[in-house]
Amino acid sequence: MSHVTTQPDATRPAPAERGRPPRRKGRSRQIRRNTLVGWSFILPNFIGFALFTLVPVTAAFVLAFMEWNSFGSPEWVGLDNFQRMFGDENFRVALFNTLFYAGGHIPLTLVAALTLAIVLNRKIRGVQFFRTAAFFPYITSLVAVAVVWNMLFNPTMGPVNQFLETLGMANPPGWTASTDWAMPAVIITSVWRDMGYYMVLYLAGLQTIPEEYYEAARVDGANAWQRFWHVTLPGLRPVTFFVVVMLTIQSFKILDLIVVMTDGGPGRSTLVLAQLIYREGIREGRFGYSSAIALVLFFIVLIVTVFQFRLNERRKA
């Protein structure tokens, strides 16, 4: 009687592997576990964002097409709020003042922050102290900053006008008491407060530029201005783009400093869109009209920001 030996089938799992769970199930279980862990980190912050930002913003978009004073039921009015807005002189004045503020605040802060960063990027004695002193106004209470600068800009007893008089100026500006000089006073204060923060960003950017570039420029005979124009500025282009975008958003939504320093006055010389939104919505109870102004401000900032991104992409190409 012959014995036939059979070889084990390679396609069938070994006895030890039959009780082992398939790899696909284990992998999908790990993916689900990682997903749950990820949501556990995201969800608390997202809930706060949804409750305090997403829902109010969405409600403001809807209220822009309604009339509501918080007592009765909202009434759909379509584009009436926008028609009223473009015929409102207060809106035109606030829009002009906002553009005027942004046109002064953005370039002046940019230049001041870059200048400070270049000066304090050198190896000088006490550089850490000067960097801290330059950054300190940004973390100082805004109310304290506004009160101190109002005292400095006092037309009769302020140190600023007293200094200008010693220089021979017979009639120094009235600053916050003048309709012509109130907005420049706010811009000067805002630049002084913000330049330290953007100086830190520029310092970080300057320290990423290789020193070899400057050495090569010196070998080629480039002077200090040529090294700044052809080495420093191109190396700081990403930082400058970020700073300009942040300054633009910050400038268009300026409110707190103006409220404390001038409260929109004298007259309407410092009334800006954010303050007009506050007045119409919180003080007057016209939440629909206030939301319409906020919607217009949102699209202005959005258009300007998209234009800046497109311009930056074109320069890269």
Side-chain angles (χ1 to χ4, degrees), residues 123-146:
K123 295 180 180 179
I124 57 178
R125 182 177 298 179
V127 65
Q128 297 297 334
F129 168 78
F130 292 112
R131 289 177 181 177
T132 304
F135 182 76
F136 186 75
Y138 186 77
I139 60 175
T140 305
S141 169
L142 186 136
V143 175
V145 170

Side-chain angles (χ1 to χ4, degrees), residues 210-254:
E211 187 64 27
E212 290 79 5
Y213 292 176
Y214 293 101
E215 294 176 359
R218 291 189 188 95
V219 171
D220 291 339
N223 56 30
W225 171 254
Q226 290 172 333
R227 293 195 299 270
F228 170 77
W229 188 260
H230 295 286
V231 178
T232 304
L233 283 185
L236 291 176
R237 184 172 296 167
V239 179
T240 301
F241 170 70
F242 175 77
V243 169
V244 170
V245 171
M246 295 301 295
L247 279 173
T248 301
I249 297 173
Q250 180 183 356
S251 297
F252 275 94
K253 66 183 185 68
I254 180 66

Side-chain angles (χ1 to χ4, degrees), residues 54-131:
L54 185 61
V55 172
V57 168
T58 305
F61 271 67
V62 176
L63 279 176
F65 301 92
M66 296 182 175
E67 185 68 33
W68 186 49
N69 59 2
S70 76
F71 293 105
S73 300
E75 179 183 354
W76 182 267
V77 294
L79 298 177
D80 290 353
N81 287 326
F82 297 94
Q83 294 176 355
R84 173 187 174 186
M85 180 195 315
F86 293 113
D88 186 2
E89 186 179 359
N90 286 332
F91 173 78
R92 293 194 296 268
V93 171
L95 178 61
F96 173 79
N97 289 338
T98 304
L99 295 175
F100 182 78
Y101 173 84
H105 178 248
I106 295 172
L108 290 178
T109 306
L110 193 72
V111 172
L114 180 57
T115 304
L116 271 176
I118 292 175
V119 172
L120 298 180
N121 192 43
R122 301 176 180 178
K123 295 180 180 179
I124 57 178
R125 182 177 298 179
V127 65
Q128 297 297 334
F129 168 78
F130 292 112
R131 289 177 181 177

Side-chain angles (χ1 to χ4, degrees), residues 269-299:
S269 59
T270 58
L271 177 66
V272 291
L273 287 176
Q275 188 177 13
L276 184 62
I277 294 170
Y278 170 78
R279 285 185 178 181
E280 292 293 335
I282 304 301
R283 291 187 181 179
E284 304 298 331
R286 294 189 282 262
F287 292 100
Y289 184 53
S290 171
S291 299
I293 301 174
L295 186 60
V296 170
L297 177 59
F298 168 78
F299 278 110

Side-chain angles (χ1 to χ4, degrees), residues 35-55:
T35 303
L36 290 175
V37 170
W39 276 107
S40 67
F41 284 103
I42 296 174
L43 202 57
N45 185 57
F46 179 77
I47 292 175
F49 166 77
L51 290 177
F52 299 106
T53 301
L54 185 61
V55 172

